[in-house]
Amino acid sequence: MIYFLSDAHLGSLAIEKGWAHQKKLIDMLEEMSKDAASIYMLGDMFDFWMEYFIHDKKKHQYAPFFKELRKLSKQGIHVHIFTGNHDLWTFGGMAQLSNAEIHYEPCTILRYGKAIYLAHGDGLLPSNWESLYPKDVKKKIKRFMRLKDIFRSPFLQFCFRCLPPSWGNKFGYEWAKRSRLKEIAKPCPYKGEDKEELVLFAKEQEKQHNHRDYYIFGHRHIELDLQISKDSRVVILGDCFKEFTYAKLDHKGNLTLHNYEQ
């Protein structure tokens, strides 16, 4: 089996009993390990992640999670972590702690005879997106894209890494907390097949003859399994901090969505 999950947002200040949250995620991975060949984590596994030049004691809170990932690796399970928009600032440290393969960009894999496009999903848009949305939505998208450019700036990343971890973490975790609380107060549900950016992105890929059997995304914190053509589906994974949803690909190439219950 191959498993896909995303958006655990470990360490979030908006999640009560963070230790219990991490424990449930570890229990879910333990359950997957019974028949897993590979596990793909599609971004935002941490609510904030920055690797400073100075040792960061706050990373110790994730020791049980990383211990579990190393255990999976020793069992011969291939673990992959994609960076998201909350945890893209890794420069080798996450790989060292987890023994996982880190992916900074979307990729296409071939498993059990199926072509699978994998990405966190932030910033993926159809090429004609500006003609599809009203002014207020376009303004929001442009603001997000500008912020993403700032986050990816090598110079600004270097400057932030120079900060004392206590300063950087206070800013980063509080910023992420506001985002999480805003989402809880005003969630953004499925927008519909003609407006959901990731669905439109996948449809455009198919029109351009970049066929994949499955497009699997995180980021949106909604569960979606949508057939967009005869041989192609879009799957959005939901999350692993409220619903604990994941996808499973069996040896026959069948992909299904599930909810983990302890």
Side-chain angles (χ1 to χ4, degrees):
M1 299 288 183
I2 299 177
Y3 291 91
F4 307 89
L5 61 146
S6 72
D7 295 273
H9 291 274
L10 289 172
S12 173
L13 300 179
I15 297 176
E16 295 183 11
K17 298 181 179 178
W19 60 270
H21 170 221
Q22 183 172 186
K23 176 66 165 54
K24 186 173 181 179
L25 178 63
I26 291 170
D27 289 345
M28 186 171 78
L29 292 171
E30 284 275 4
E31 187 68 23
M32 291 176 176
S33 72
K34 294 177 181 178
D35 60 5
S38 301
I39 298 176
Y40 289 84
M41 303 180 185
L42 299 190
D44 283 0
M45 295 305 292
F46 303 91
D47 206 39
F48 176 71
W49 182 275
M50 168 60 73
E51 292 170 8
Y52 305 93
F53 292 117
I54 302 172
H55 177 66
D56 179 12
K57 295 180 181 179
K58 195 169 179 65
K59 297 286 192 300
H60 295 171
Q61 67 179 311
Y62 306 125
F65 175 65
F66 285 123
K67 181 180 179 181
E68 178 63 23
L69 296 189
R70 293 193 300 272
K71 178 182 173 183
L72 295 174
S73 181
K74 288 180 180 178
Q75 291 174 352
I77 299 170
H78 301 286
V79 180
H80 302 257
I81 300 176
F82 284 65
T83 57
N85 52 300
H86 281 256
D87 51 13
L88 60 93
W89 304 282
T90 176
F91 310 95
M94 191 185 296
Q96 185 176 8
L97 288 167
S98 65
N99 282 348
E101 182 176 349
I102 309 299
H103 300 265
Y104 295 87
E105 299 292 340
C107 71
T108 299
I109 63 173
L110 184 64
R111 297 292 186 274
Y112 304 141
K114 301 294 183 180
I116 308 168
Y117 184 89
L118 300 175
H120 179 59
D122 59 312
L124 292 182
L125 296 160
S127 58
N128 64 336
W129 68 270
E130 289 193 81
S131 66
L132 298 175
Y133 298 105
K135 186 176 181 180
D136 59 327
V137 176
K138 287 192 289 185
K139 184 177 180 181
K140 184 178 179 180
I141 291 174
K142 288 180 179 179
R143 185 166 62 244
F144 178 83
M145 298 303 283
R146 285 196 296 269
L147 191 62
K148 186 174 179 180
D149 288 339
I150 291 172
F151 286 167
R152 287 179 173 267
S153 164
F155 174 71
L156 294 177
Q157 287 178 348
F158 176 84
C159 292
F160 204 100
R161 295 182 74 192
C162 290
L163 293 175
S166 58
W167 294 8
N169 287 337
K170 182 175 178 56
F171 174 82
Y173 281 100
E174 286 295 336
W175 179 303
K177 179 184 177 181
R178 289 196 296 271
S179 174
R180 203 65 43 242
L181 291 175
K182 182 179 179 181
E183 176 194 351
I184 293 171
K186 191 177 180 181
C188 181
Y190 177 52
K191 301 173 185 177
E193 191 171 343
D194 60 338
K195 289 187 172 63
E196 191 67 48
E197 292 93 335
L198 295 174
V199 172
L200 295 173
F201 170 83
K203 284 186 173 183
E204 184 176 69
Q205 291 293 304
E206 291 299 301
K207 288 180 181 178
Q208 294 174 350
H209 306 293
N210 296 322
H211 172 68
R212 283 89 166 192
D213 297 282
Y214 302 118
Y215 294 84
I216 306 180
F217 304 109
H219 184 57
R220 281 285 283 114
H221 301 175
I222 61 172
E223 292 178 62
L224 180 70
D225 186 351
L226 179 68
Q227 195 88 28
I228 60 170
S229 71
K230 181 182 178 181
D231 302 311
S232 188
R233 284 160 54 195
V234 172
V235 173
I236 301 179
L237 293 170
D239 68 68
C240 284
F241 69 92
K242 290 186 300 183
E243 303 300 329
F244 283 83
T245 50
Y246 64 94
K248 177 170 68 174
L249 184 75
D250 67 22
H251 294 82
K252 295 181 179 179
N254 299 313
L255 186 73
T256 49
L257 273 174
H258 302 266
N259 288 80
Y260 175 70
E261 295 293 340
Q262 288 178 306

